[in-house]
Amino acid sequence: MNYEQSTLEPFHPADKIQDLQYFGEFGGVNPSISDSSTYTFLSAKTMFDTFEGNAEGCYLYSRHSSPMNLYLGQALAAMEGTESANVSASGMGAITPVLLQLCAAGDEIVSSRTIYGGTYAFMKNMLPKWNIKTRFVDITKLDQVVAAITPNTKVLYCETVSNPLLEVADIEALAIIAKEHNIKLVVDNTFSPLSVAPAKLGADVVIHSLTKFINGSSDTVGGVVCASQDFINDLKNVNDGASMLLGPTMDSLRASSILKNLRTLHIRIKQHSHNALYLAQKFEQDGLKVVYPGLPSHPSHELYASMINPEYGFGGMMTIDVGTLDKANELMELMQHRNLGYLAVSLGFYKTLFSAPGTSTSSEIPMEEQQEMGLTDGLIRFSIGLDNDIERTYQMMKRCMTELNVF
């Protein structure tokens, strides 16, 4: 099979967001927030038509949809270049309905082995209760992906840049494999908004945890599913739609907050990427074991360079291996004490966040499987912040590392 990369037309997601224009109920430059759980109708027939999905511009009940959720969904669909999108109250509130919508008892999923711990736990521990099996593979080895697909496979699942090992998925090649086997390619693009547009590379469904870079202020959780209008309609179907019936509804006030933060995403991503590349280069020169897709030493550097919108760089996530968990904890505590950031999970904040994923965001993955995939005790995952003087930050971090004999 031929998995060579094609030449794609440039896609400018920030322009798509910029071109959106909404007017509030009273002419405000921000759309008005509808602070209602239920909506009234002037006629019984309109209510019936709305239940049946035949009435445009009418709202019934906020679990079905609300004006602000639709505004945010439209903006995120524009960002990802999909027909439609549906927002949810968390990233997991986006991921789990998608998998349950696409799979039934007896079906199978082929997934990257390095994914967010919550996604892994759902596939490994929850889905078997519905007789849905997941085969975990090294997503960077396409022959393993193909070998894992069976006649029962319905979904191929990966993250553009994996959490926490920062492995890069060849989305275009995976899309070819998915189409050849008539299965759906679902991509979690949380680590790489604006930088990568998976739908343009052939993904069927694109998911984000809005909690992270897109919102960017670590004050709310949220998720989104970006896909075709038909699939979003299926998710929201009142009879058998997983998003409708499981009820992971986003609050209108939170949707409004995220929509406003989305407008500065392009500025923030550029700074996150600039700072992360600077630190990655410096620490690699210092002799540390650094993993960052923007470094030529990263095994998928050239692949990722061919996938990204270069304007937004290689992202704000990097890892450093300091050898042991004790040393990692000691270093993170000292960096927090020196006001360099927070010992905290999540990502996309204006301050740098750092954690040892083996005992935090990936703790759901059994220890033997962590070791097999290369998730070591001393690994620290960094979400690099928006620091204005990144040389100053580097010097302060280096002093912390020198004091603790990390070098």
Side-chain angles (χ1 to χ4, degrees), residues 235-298:
L235 282 176
K236 296 169 72 174
N237 187 289
V238 296
N239 295 307
D240 60 3
S243 288
M244 178 64 69
L245 299 177
L246 293 173
T249 309
M250 175 174 281
D251 178 76
S252 292
L253 293 169
R254 287 306 189 189
S256 174
S257 175
I258 295 170
L259 179 60
K260 283 177 276 195
N261 287 346
L262 178 66
R263 297 163 185 165
T264 63
L265 179 63
H266 61 294
I267 301 169
R268 292 185 282 111
I269 289 294
K270 291 175 186 179
Q271 190 69 16
H272 285 303
S273 292
H274 168 78
N275 286 351
L277 178 61
Y278 186 92
L279 291 177
Q281 289 173 334
K282 287 287 190 178
F283 286 133
E284 186 172 65
Q285 291 168 7
D286 289 333
L288 290 176
K289 185 178 179 182
V290 182
V291 176
Y292 181 68
L295 295 174
S297 58
H298 191 286

Side-chain angles (χ1 to χ4, degrees), residues 308-326:
I308 63 171
N309 184 334
E311 183 178 1
Y312 302 107
F314 291 86
M317 305 300 297
M318 60 177 278
T319 68
I320 292 176
D321 195 330
V322 296
T324 67
L325 179 59
D326 287 343

